[in-house]
Amino acid sequence: MSATVRKVLQYVISLAIATALLLYLFQDFNFQLITEAFKKADYRWVVLSAVLTFTSHLMRAHRWNIILKPLGYAPSLYTSFLAVMSGYFINLVVPRGGEVARSGLLQKMERIPATKAFGTIVLERIIDVLILGTLIVMLLAVEVDQITQIITSTFSSKLSGLQSKFYLIVIAGVGLLLLTVLVFFRFKQKIQQSLLYAKGMDIVKKVLEGVVSILKVKNQGAFWFHTIGIWAMYYLMAFVLFQCFPITSDLSPWVGFTVLVVGGIGMAAPVQGGIGAYHILITPVLMYYLASKHPQKDEVLSIVTFMHAAQTLVTIMIGGIALWLSTAMTKRQNAQALPEEDMTEEKIKAV
């Protein structure tokens, strides 16, 4: 299967999942409420959220430079930021495709090998997963009863018939894994002698070199400052959006933490920008914490839709500009390189 076909399939499948989630979520929904939410929102808080979003991505670009330094590369903060934002923009089209595009753009702009840059991005994702996992444990430790009630009231009727199917999926997964291992050891010698295997192992080694770069980072203080700062910005850029509406303006900072964790799970779903998954997970959370105000589900869903749209539009705007600027920079560098190559060829001919 070619890379183009694989990318198209990935896009179509993720889009189909997102569409199915949205159709399920918005069935019998009063869409006028979304229009009203956008009209009534206090956009001063949206601007503040956009500033916090920009700051989080700038800190991610700076942290990336810290990770790249032990590998012998020192890209400018400007080019790293362009690559980061371009990656986020592409992720809205092809889930996880932005990570590959991000390393490719940095290679074009700064001549840094894409495989090594991708290894550092893998490291970033590992750290993000570990932090999200830690936050999930913290949330469950404090709010286990509340989270249990939210899950039970929202999904109990839908999950009751899935227990037997879950066991079948686990058995099938284990069987497939064992079959893969058996095939590998049965044809181990032929596989290891193949050109594809050698090329694959070379890529893996370069990626691992990027992953272990964390062990060589001298400025650990700056690295962890930016790591914590990124997640602090994630928290604040969602929490300040509560202030856009009277009904959510008095929600506690702890509710903001819950939204950060649950929203992080939704954004990690294999769909464009967490579309559908974010809405399905955050709506029951806000319904639970707003229960004393007796809101309608459609009203809460419209607020969640506004929050997701506000953050996504900021990414589209900044990411779109970044992709345009990085593409323009690459074209300009290529245009400047061509005359030098032509001069070299002329000197060779003259000799």
Side-chain angles (χ1 to χ4, degrees), residues 39-311:
K39 288 181 179 179
K40 295 178 180 178
D42 186 343
Y43 282 89
R44 292 175 298 177
W45 297 103
V46 175
V47 173
L48 178 57
S49 179
V51 172
L52 294 167
T53 301
F54 180 89
T55 304
S56 73
H57 297 324
L58 190 63
M59 295 181 81
R60 184 174 288 277
H62 196 285
R63 187 183 68 173
W64 195 18
N65 283 358
I66 294 173
I67 301 173
L68 286 166
K69 191 172 182 180
L71 299 178
Y73 305 107
S76 69
L77 182 60
Y78 175 68
T79 53
S80 295
F81 180 74
L82 291 183
V84 166
M85 291 310 307
S86 298
Y88 277 116
F89 180 81
I90 293 171
N91 270 339
L92 293 174
V93 181
V94 181
R96 306 282 79 87
E99 279 75 1
V100 177
R102 175 176 149 189
S103 56
L105 284 170
L106 193 66
Q107 175 176 295
K108 292 178 180 178
M109 291 187 288
E110 294 280 0
R111 301 296 186 264
I112 297 174
T115 48
K116 292 185 178 181
F118 184 74
T120 60
I121 297 172
V122 172
L123 170 62
E124 285 189 355
R125 290 293 169 257
I126 292 172
I127 293 171
D128 287 340
V129 169
L130 290 175
I131 291 176
L132 181 59
T134 303
L135 296 179
I136 291 172
V137 172
M138 290 172 59
L139 178 63
L140 291 176
V142 178
E143 298 273 88
V144 62
D145 292 335
Q146 290 82 348
I147 297 299
T148 301
Q149 289 181 38
I150 293 170
I151 294 173
T152 302
S153 62
T154 307
F155 301 108
S156 59
S157 62
K158 302 174 184 64
L159 297 178
S160 58
L162 293 181
Q163 186 173 3
S164 59
K165 293 181 181 179
F166 173 76
Y167 291 129
L168 287 175
I169 293 172
V170 171
I171 293 171
V174 172
L176 182 61
L177 178 62
L178 290 174
L179 179 62
T180 303
V181 172
L182 288 172
V183 170
F184 176 79
F185 282 103
R186 174 66 178 82
F187 301 98
K188 182 179 178 180
Q189 188 173 359
K190 291 183 178 180
I191 292 174
Q192 291 179 335
Q193 291 175 349
S194 68
L195 180 62
L196 183 62
Y197 178 83
K199 186 176 180 180
M201 289 305 298
D202 182 56
I203 293 174
V204 169
K205 288 178 182 177
K206 290 179 180 178
V207 170
L208 287 176
E209 186 178 346
V211 171
V212 300
S213 62
I214 181 62
L215 302 175
K216 302 176 183 177
V217 170
K218 294 181 180 180
N219 197 347
Q220 290 284 337
F223 174 83
W224 290 110
F225 170 79
H226 284 91
T227 298
I228 295 171
I230 289 167
W231 282 87
M233 293 302 108
Y234 285 170
Y235 167 78
L236 291 173
M237 65 197 231
F239 180 71
V240 298
L241 290 177
F242 288 169
Q243 313 308 313
C244 291
F245 305 97
I247 191 173
T248 56
S249 60
D250 60 350
L251 288 173
S252 70
W254 183 257
V255 178
F257 177 76
T258 306
V259 168
L260 167 69
V261 177
V262 178
I265 297 172
M267 296 301 288
V271 292
Q272 289 85 344
I275 297 174
Y278 181 90
H279 301 72
I280 284 178
L281 293 175
I282 297 299
T283 299
V285 170
L286 290 187
M287 284 287 292
Y288 176 83
Y289 287 105
L290 292 171
S292 60
K293 299 183 179 181
H294 308 290
Q296 297 295 318
K297 181 182 177 181
D298 284 3
E299 180 185 5
V300 175
L301 180 54
S302 65
I303 292 174
V304 173
T305 301
F306 176 86
M307 291 174 60
H308 183 269
Q311 296 177 76

